Amino acid sequence: MKSYLLDTNICVFYLRDKYDVWKYIDEQIGLENCYISEITVAELKFGEELGRRKGVFKKDNYLDGFLSSVNILPISSAIDLFAEEKARLQTNGTPCEDNFDLLIGCTAVVNDMIMVTENIKDFKNISSIQLENWIKR
């Protein structure tokens, strides 16, 4: 079975039950085949905290439940590739504007996973990356 690294936006859609991401994972992929980067954990926690401070929602442990049920990958194995890709992209005149996205994408590559994101443009220049967009708008 293939393994999938979910970008932060896919996790947000999953958590908000949007675009049938939950259904697709449950019926087609299996949550056991889905992974997220430590960077995605940080971005999700930031979003939750920002929403709490703005009064949009209270902490309800829903995010914690998701994080305890999904596989979380460290970024340490991707650091060398991150440095190589950042230098390559900058030298080629196509620098990656978002270091977090580059780290997430490199994590997918070094772990031979399919990167799932709606933001294909943010990842398409990473060498050897496999991309899928599950979002249909």
Side-chain angles (χ1 to χ4, degrees):
M1 179 52 107
K2 296 177 184 177
S3 296
Y4 299 85
L5 187 65
L6 308 180
D7 191 15
T8 306
N9 59 12
I10 300 300
C11 294
V12 169
F13 297 148
Y14 181 88
L15 290 165
R16 293 183 179 169
D17 198 20
K18 291 185 144 195
Y19 307 110
D20 292 325
V21 172
W22 185 296
K23 182 178 177 182
Y24 186 75
I25 289 173
D26 285 350
E27 294 178 2
Q28 304 291 325
I29 304 298
L31 193 57
E32 68 276 6
N33 297 306
C34 295
Y35 296 76
I36 63 173
S37 164
E38 289 174 318
I39 298 295
T40 296
V41 173
E43 290 179 329
L44 290 170
K45 286 188 173 274
F46 165 71
E48 179 183 61
E49 180 63 19
L50 187 61
R52 187 189 64 74
R53 287 179 184 229
K54 289 183 174 183
V56 176
F57 58 84
K58 297 177 184 174
K59 185 171 176 67
D60 61 6
N61 296 323
Y62 191 62
L63 177 58
D64 292 337
F66 170 71
L67 294 176
S68 68
S69 67
V70 71
N71 303 297
I72 300 172
L73 289 176
I75 61 168
S76 56
S77 63
I79 291 174
D80 288 343
L81 181 61
F82 167 82
E84 292 168 16
E85 284 295 293
K86 186 161 178 71
R88 182 187 66 80
L89 291 167
Q90 186 169 331
T91 302
N92 289 348
T94 56
C96 183
E97 300 298 322
D98 187 333
N99 286 326
F100 282 173
D101 282 347
L102 185 55
L103 266 168
I104 293 169
C106 289
T107 301
V109 172
V110 299
N111 288 286
D112 194 29
M113 296 178 160
I114 297 169
M115 181 78 232
V116 181
T117 183
E118 186 180 30
N119 299 327
I120 298 292
K121 66 178 177 46
D122 294 339
F123 296 91
K124 69 179 181 182
N125 293 325
I126 299 172
S127 295
S128 303
I129 196 163
Q130 303 171 69
L131 294 170
E132 286 188 12
N133 179 4
W134 297 345
I135 306 306
K136 308 289 186 249
R137 289 188 190 242

